[in-house]
mmCIF file of all heavy atoms in Angstrom:
data_model
loop_
_atom_site.group_PDB
_atom_site.id
_atom_site.type_symbol
_atom_site.label_atom_id
_atom_site.label_comp_id
_atom_site.label_asym_id
_atom_site.label_seq_id
_atom_site.Cartn_x
_atom_site.Cartn_y
_atom_site.Cartn_z
ATOM 1 N N ASP J 1 13.954 -5.852 -10.323
ATOM 2 C CA ASP J 1 13.206 -6.516 -11.440
ATOM 3 C C ASP J 1 11.938 -5.736 -11.804
ATOM 4 O O ASP J 1 11.460 -4.895 -11.082
ATOM 5 C CB ASP J 1 12.713 -7.865 -11.045
ATOM 6 C CG ASP J 1 13.962 -8.787 -10.629
ATOM 7 O OD1 ASP J 1 15.072 -8.521 -11.089
ATOM 8 O OD2 ASP J 1 13.721 -9.722 -9.842
ATOM 9 N N GLU J 2 11.390 -6.048 -13.044
ATOM 10 C CA GLU J 2 10.121 -5.420 -13.407
ATOM 11 C C GLU J 2 9.081 -5.984 -12.399
ATOM 12 O O GLU J 2 9.138 -7.049 -11.895
ATOM 13 C CB GLU J 2 9.734 -5.979 -14.808
ATOM 14 C CG GLU J 2 10.352 -5.168 -15.946
ATOM 15 C CD GLU J 2 9.788 -5.424 -17.288
ATOM 16 O OE1 GLU J 2 8.525 -5.623 -17.349
ATOM 17 O OE2 GLU J 2 10.593 -5.457 -18.257
ATOM 18 N N GLN J 3 8.132 -5.032 -12.083
ATOM 19 C CA GLN J 3 7.016 -5.396 -11.146
ATOM 20 C C GLN J 3 7.548 -5.525 -9.686
ATOM 21 O O GLN J 3 6.905 -6.241 -8.885
ATOM 22 C CB GLN J 3 6.208 -6.578 -11.619
ATOM 23 C CG GLN J 3 5.592 -6.450 -12.864
ATOM 24 C CD GLN J 3 4.635 -5.224 -12.900
ATOM 25 O OE1 GLN J 3 3.789 -5.075 -12.089
ATOM 26 N NE2 GLN J 3 4.794 -4.405 -13.997
ATOM 27 N N SER J 4 8.693 -4.973 -9.338
ATOM 28 C CA SER J 4 9.153 -4.976 -7.961
ATOM 29 C C SER J 4 8.315 -4.038 -7.143
ATOM 30 O O SER J 4 7.857 -3.027 -7.586
ATOM 31 C CB SER J 4 10.657 -4.493 -7.964
ATOM 32 O OG SER J 4 11.428 -5.374 -8.603
ATOM 33 N N ARG J 5 8.079 -4.614 -5.939
ATOM 34 C CA ARG J 5 7.022 -3.854 -5.157
ATOM 35 C C ARG J 5 7.631 -3.460 -3.681
ATOM 36 O O ARG J 5 8.229 -4.361 -3.155
ATOM 37 C CB ARG J 5 5.800 -4.657 -5.043
ATOM 38 C CG ARG J 5 4.552 -4.033 -4.283
ATOM 39 C CD ARG J 5 3.366 -4.794 -4.303
ATOM 40 N NE ARG J 5 3.487 -5.984 -3.498
ATOM 41 C CZ ARG J 5 3.306 -7.291 -4.014
ATOM 42 N NH1 ARG J 5 2.939 -7.467 -5.199
ATOM 43 N NH2 ARG J 5 3.490 -8.299 -3.151
ATOM 44 N N ILE J 6 7.251 -2.279 -3.203
ATOM 45 C CA ILE J 6 7.632 -1.972 -1.809
ATOM 46 C C ILE J 6 6.306 -1.867 -1.108
ATOM 47 O O ILE J 6 5.347 -1.236 -1.554
ATOM 48 C CB ILE J 6 8.339 -0.624 -1.741
ATOM 49 C CG1 ILE J 6 9.724 -0.665 -2.484
ATOM 50 C CG2 ILE J 6 8.351 -0.144 -0.348
ATOM 51 C CD1 ILE J 6 10.749 -1.408 -1.712
ATOM 52 N N GLU J 7 6.200 -2.449 0.055
ATOM 53 C CA GLU J 7 5.129 -2.342 0.981
ATOM 54 C C GLU J 7 5.630 -1.897 2.367
ATOM 55 O O GLU J 7 6.681 -2.296 2.792
ATOM 56 C CB GLU J 7 4.444 -3.810 1.187
ATOM 57 C CG GLU J 7 3.902 -4.260 -0.215
ATOM 58 C CD GLU J 7 3.517 -5.734 -0.101
ATOM 59 O OE1 GLU J 7 4.336 -6.524 0.333
ATOM 60 O OE2 GLU J 7 2.291 -5.966 -0.302
ATOM 61 N N ILE J 8 4.855 -1.071 2.971
ATOM 62 C CA ILE J 8 5.189 -0.664 4.351
ATOM 63 C C ILE J 8 4.033 -1.060 5.317
ATOM 64 O O ILE J 8 2.867 -0.924 5.081
ATOM 65 C CB ILE J 8 5.238 0.981 4.273
ATOM 66 C CG1 ILE J 8 6.361 1.463 3.408
ATOM 67 C CG2 ILE J 8 5.555 1.450 5.756
ATOM 68 C CD1 ILE J 8 6.429 2.918 3.196
ATOM 69 N N PHE J 9 4.572 -1.642 6.425
ATOM 70 C CA PHE J 9 3.641 -2.181 7.399
ATOM 71 C C PHE J 9 3.919 -1.598 8.725
ATOM 72 O O PHE J 9 5.089 -1.227 9.129
ATOM 73 C CB PHE J 9 3.858 -3.789 7.544
ATOM 74 C CG PHE J 9 3.656 -4.598 6.306
ATOM 75 C CD1 PHE J 9 4.599 -4.772 5.369
ATOM 76 C CD2 PHE J 9 2.342 -5.067 6.074
ATOM 77 C CE1 PHE J 9 4.393 -5.487 4.266
ATOM 78 C CE2 PHE J 9 2.072 -5.750 4.935
ATOM 79 C CZ PHE J 9 3.136 -6.043 3.987
ATOM 80 N N ASN J 10 2.931 -1.591 9.617
ATOM 81 C CA ASN J 10 3.116 -1.145 11.019
ATOM 82 C C ASN J 10 3.547 -2.414 11.778
ATOM 83 O O ASN J 10 3.684 -3.422 11.237
ATOM 84 C CB ASN J 10 1.932 -0.420 11.608
ATOM 85 C CG ASN J 10 0.706 -1.330 11.751
ATOM 86 O OD1 ASN J 10 0.824 -2.611 11.757
ATOM 87 N ND2 ASN J 10 -0.486 -0.741 11.975
ATOM 88 N N SER J 11 3.754 -2.137 13.087
ATOM 89 C CA SER J 11 4.400 -3.161 13.959
ATOM 90 C C SER J 11 3.465 -4.361 14.117
ATOM 91 O O SER J 11 3.889 -5.468 14.530
ATOM 92 C CB SER J 11 4.726 -2.618 15.324
ATOM 93 O OG SER J 11 3.542 -2.145 15.977
ATOM 94 N N ILE J 12 2.143 -4.230 13.872
ATOM 95 C CA ILE J 12 1.239 -5.376 14.026
ATOM 96 C C ILE J 12 0.803 -6.009 12.687
ATOM 97 O O ILE J 12 -0.129 -6.915 12.572
ATOM 98 C CB ILE J 12 0.014 -5.025 14.862
ATOM 99 C CG1 ILE J 12 -0.814 -3.939 14.227
ATOM 100 C CG2 ILE J 12 0.335 -4.666 16.272
ATOM 101 C CD1 ILE J 12 -2.221 -3.661 14.882
ATOM 102 N N GLY J 13 1.560 -5.601 11.612
ATOM 103 C CA GLY J 13 1.351 -6.295 10.366
ATOM 104 C C GLY J 13 0.314 -5.628 9.439
ATOM 105 O O GLY J 13 0.022 -6.193 8.374
ATOM 106 N N VAL J 14 -0.236 -4.464 9.759
ATOM 107 C CA VAL J 14 -1.204 -3.872 8.870
ATOM 108 C C VAL J 14 -0.515 -3.102 7.768
ATOM 109 O O VAL J 14 0.413 -2.216 7.981
ATOM 110 C CB VAL J 14 -2.067 -2.792 9.712
ATOM 111 C CG1 VAL J 14 -3.024 -2.082 8.764
ATOM 112 C CG2 VAL J 14 -2.857 -3.573 10.697
ATOM 113 N N LYS J 15 -0.805 -3.311 6.562
ATOM 114 C CA LYS J 15 -0.179 -2.727 5.333
ATOM 115 C C LYS J 15 -0.639 -1.189 5.216
ATOM 116 O O LYS J 15 -1.812 -0.963 5.313
ATOM 117 C CB LYS J 15 -0.471 -3.382 4.070
ATOM 118 C CG LYS J 15 0.259 -2.843 2.857
ATOM 119 C CD LYS J 15 -0.183 -3.313 1.528
ATOM 120 C CE LYS J 15 -0.152 -4.759 1.405
ATOM 121 N NZ LYS J 15 -0.552 -5.295 0.050
ATOM 122 N N LEU J 16 0.303 -0.326 5.316
ATOM 123 C CA LEU J 16 -0.023 1.124 5.244
ATOM 124 C C LEU J 16 0.140 1.683 3.835
ATOM 125 O O LEU J 16 -0.597 2.717 3.646
ATOM 126 C CB LEU J 16 0.845 1.883 6.235
ATOM 127 C CG LEU J 16 0.923 1.376 7.670
ATOM 128 C CD1 LEU J 16 1.947 2.098 8.522
ATOM 129 C CD2 LEU J 16 -0.481 1.555 8.269
ATOM 130 N N ASP J 17 0.962 1.181 3.016
ATOM 131 C CA ASP J 17 1.201 1.672 1.668
ATOM 132 C C ASP J 17 1.932 0.679 0.829
ATOM 133 O O ASP J 17 2.567 -0.228 1.361
ATOM 134 C CB ASP J 17 2.044 2.974 1.817
ATOM 135 C CG ASP J 17 1.942 3.902 0.586
ATOM 136 O OD1 ASP J 17 1.193 3.569 -0.324
ATOM 137 O OD2 ASP J 17 2.539 4.910 0.643
ATOM 138 N N GLN J 18 1.800 0.841 -0.445
ATOM 139 C CA GLN J 18 2.538 0.026 -1.371
ATOM 140 C C GLN J 18 2.738 0.736 -2.694
ATOM 141 O O GLN J 18 1.901 1.578 -2.932
ATOM 142 C CB GLN J 18 1.911 -1.364 -1.618
ATOM 143 C CG GLN J 18 0.728 -1.334 -2.523
ATOM 144 C CD GLN J 18 0.235 -2.772 -2.838
ATOM 145 O OE1 GLN J 18 0.491 -3.685 -2.089
ATOM 146 N NE2 GLN J 18 -0.508 -2.884 -3.917
ATOM 147 N N PHE J 19 3.828 0.422 -3.409
ATOM 148 C CA PHE J 19 4.020 1.091 -4.715
ATOM 149 C C PHE J 19 5.075 0.193 -5.511
ATOM 150 O O PHE J 19 5.823 -0.585 -4.846
ATOM 151 C CB PHE J 19 4.425 2.505 -4.601
ATOM 152 C CG PHE J 19 5.606 2.692 -3.554
ATOM 153 C CD1 PHE J 19 6.924 2.687 -3.905
ATOM 154 C CD2 PHE J 19 5.259 2.937 -2.234
ATOM 155 C CE1 PHE J 19 7.905 2.884 -2.961
ATOM 156 C CE2 PHE J 19 6.281 3.171 -1.330
ATOM 157 C CZ PHE J 19 7.591 3.072 -1.671
ATOM 158 N N LEU J 20 5.186 0.395 -6.767
ATOM 159 C CA LEU J 20 6.150 -0.289 -7.664
ATOM 160 C C LEU J 20 7.408 0.542 -7.689
ATOM 161 O O LEU J 20 7.397 1.801 -7.573
ATOM 162 C CB LEU J 20 5.568 -0.404 -9.053
ATOM 163 C CG LEU J 20 4.339 -1.319 -9.161
ATOM 164 C CD1 LEU J 20 3.859 -1.376 -10.657
ATOM 165 C CD2 LEU J 20 4.621 -2.759 -8.695
ATOM 166 N N VAL J 21 8.568 -0.182 -7.775
ATOM 167 C CA VAL J 21 9.868 0.430 -7.880
ATOM 168 C C VAL J 21 10.660 0.015 -9.099
ATOM 169 O O VAL J 21 10.483 -1.119 -9.487
ATOM 170 C CB VAL J 21 10.702 0.242 -6.643
ATOM 171 C CG1 VAL J 21 10.161 0.944 -5.422
ATOM 172 C CG2 VAL J 21 10.896 -1.181 -6.341
ATOM 173 N N SER J 22 11.277 0.944 -9.780
ATOM 174 C CA SER J 22 12.117 0.438 -10.946
ATOM 175 C C SER J 22 13.574 1.041 -10.898
ATOM 176 O O SER J 22 14.255 0.726 -11.790
ATOM 177 C CB SER J 22 11.338 0.971 -12.181
ATOM 178 O OG SER J 22 11.232 2.431 -12.114
ATOM 179 N N GLU J 23 13.838 1.932 -9.970
ATOM 180 C CA GLU J 23 15.206 2.469 -9.803
ATOM 181 C C GLU J 23 15.795 1.943 -8.524
ATOM 182 O O GLU J 23 15.158 1.460 -7.616
ATOM 183 C CB GLU J 23 15.128 3.931 -9.708
ATOM 184 C CG GLU J 23 14.486 4.593 -11.031
ATOM 185 C CD GLU J 23 15.364 4.362 -12.289
ATOM 186 O OE1 GLU J 23 16.619 4.417 -12.177
ATOM 187 O OE2 GLU J 23 14.746 4.222 -13.315
ATOM 188 N N PHE J 24 17.151 2.022 -8.471
ATOM 189 C CA PHE J 24 17.760 1.494 -7.209
ATOM 190 C C PHE J 24 17.925 2.545 -6.057
ATOM 191 O O PHE J 24 18.301 2.197 -4.950
ATOM 192 C CB PHE J 24 19.210 0.894 -7.494
ATOM 193 C CG PHE J 24 20.187 1.878 -7.974
ATOM 194 C CD1 PHE J 24 21.103 2.415 -7.001
ATOM 195 C CD2 PHE J 24 20.345 2.263 -9.183
ATOM 196 C CE1 PHE J 24 22.081 3.250 -7.442
ATOM 197 C CE2 PHE J 24 21.253 3.130 -9.597
ATOM 198 C CZ PHE J 24 22.223 3.648 -8.667
ATOM 199 N N ALA J 25 17.440 3.806 -6.242
ATOM 200 C CA ALA J 25 17.416 4.842 -5.328
ATOM 201 C C ALA J 25 16.123 5.434 -5.383
ATOM 202 O O ALA J 25 15.589 5.866 -6.365
ATOM 203 C CB ALA J 25 18.479 5.772 -5.440
ATOM 204 N N TYR J 26 15.514 5.676 -4.180
ATOM 205 C CA TYR J 26 14.184 6.234 -4.015
ATOM 206 C C TYR J 26 14.044 7.186 -2.853
ATOM 207 O O TYR J 26 14.553 6.863 -1.749
ATOM 208 C CB TYR J 26 13.076 5.275 -3.837
ATOM 209 C CG TYR J 26 12.385 4.753 -5.187
ATOM 210 C CD1 TYR J 26 12.955 3.683 -5.876
ATOM 211 C CD2 TYR J 26 11.342 5.399 -5.681
ATOM 212 C CE1 TYR J 26 12.517 3.239 -7.023
ATOM 213 C CE2 TYR J 26 10.828 4.935 -6.957
ATOM 214 C CZ TYR J 26 11.361 3.872 -7.569
ATOM 215 O OH TYR J 26 10.795 3.548 -8.782
ATOM 216 N N ASP J 27 13.336 8.239 -3.079
ATOM 217 C CA ASP J 27 12.848 9.092 -1.845
ATOM 218 C C ASP J 27 11.496 8.583 -1.638
ATOM 219 O O ASP J 27 10.587 8.702 -2.505
ATOM 220 C CB ASP J 27 12.870 10.487 -2.190
ATOM 221 C CG ASP J 27 14.351 11.097 -2.205
ATOM 222 O OD1 ASP J 27 15.165 10.716 -1.353
ATOM 223 O OD2 ASP J 27 14.628 11.856 -3.109
ATOM 224 N N ILE J 28 11.190 8.148 -0.443
ATOM 225 C CA ILE J 28 9.814 7.670 -0.126
ATOM 226 C C ILE J 28 9.099 8.583 0.845
ATOM 227 O O ILE J 28 9.597 8.931 1.876
ATOM 228 C CB ILE J 28 9.876 6.213 0.560
ATOM 229 C CG1 ILE J 28 10.592 5.189 -0.429
ATOM 230 C CG2 ILE J 28 8.488 5.841 1.011
ATOM 231 C CD1 ILE J 28 10.818 3.886 0.194
ATOM 232 N N SER J 29 7.934 9.009 0.394
ATOM 233 C CA SER J 29 7.014 9.849 1.245
ATOM 234 C C SER J 29 6.218 8.853 2.075
ATOM 235 O O SER J 29 5.544 8.008 1.569
ATOM 236 C CB SER J 29 6.096 10.730 0.496
ATOM 237 O OG SER J 29 6.797 11.720 -0.210
ATOM 238 N N LEU J 30 6.406 8.845 3.392
ATOM 239 C CA LEU J 30 5.799 7.944 4.288
ATOM 240 C C LEU J 30 4.299 8.234 4.449
ATOM 241 O O LEU J 30 3.980 9.440 4.275
ATOM 242 C CB LEU J 30 6.509 7.884 5.585
ATOM 243 C CG LEU J 30 7.999 7.434 5.612
ATOM 244 C CD1 LEU J 30 8.592 7.643 6.999
ATOM 245 C CD2 LEU J 30 7.957 5.883 5.229
#
């Protein structure tokens, strides 16, 4: 959907990164 978001968290719940997605396939730089 528009404004879809990906967030990456570590094992204790700290957000490390976030970005918007609009395609169904992505290469993500961690």
Side-chain angles (χ1 to χ4, degrees):
D1 299 335
E2 282 191 34
Q3 301 301 311
S4 295
R5 187 174 68 234
I6 295 289
E7 298 168 302
I8 298 173
F9 298 90
N10 67 14
S11 60
I12 58 172
V14 175
K15 187 189 306 184
L16 305 175
D17 202 0
Q18 76 172 22
F19 48 92
L20 297 176
V21 292
S22 59
E23 301 293 325
F24 70 95
Y26 268 90
D27 289 319
I28 298 174
S29 294
L30 295 172

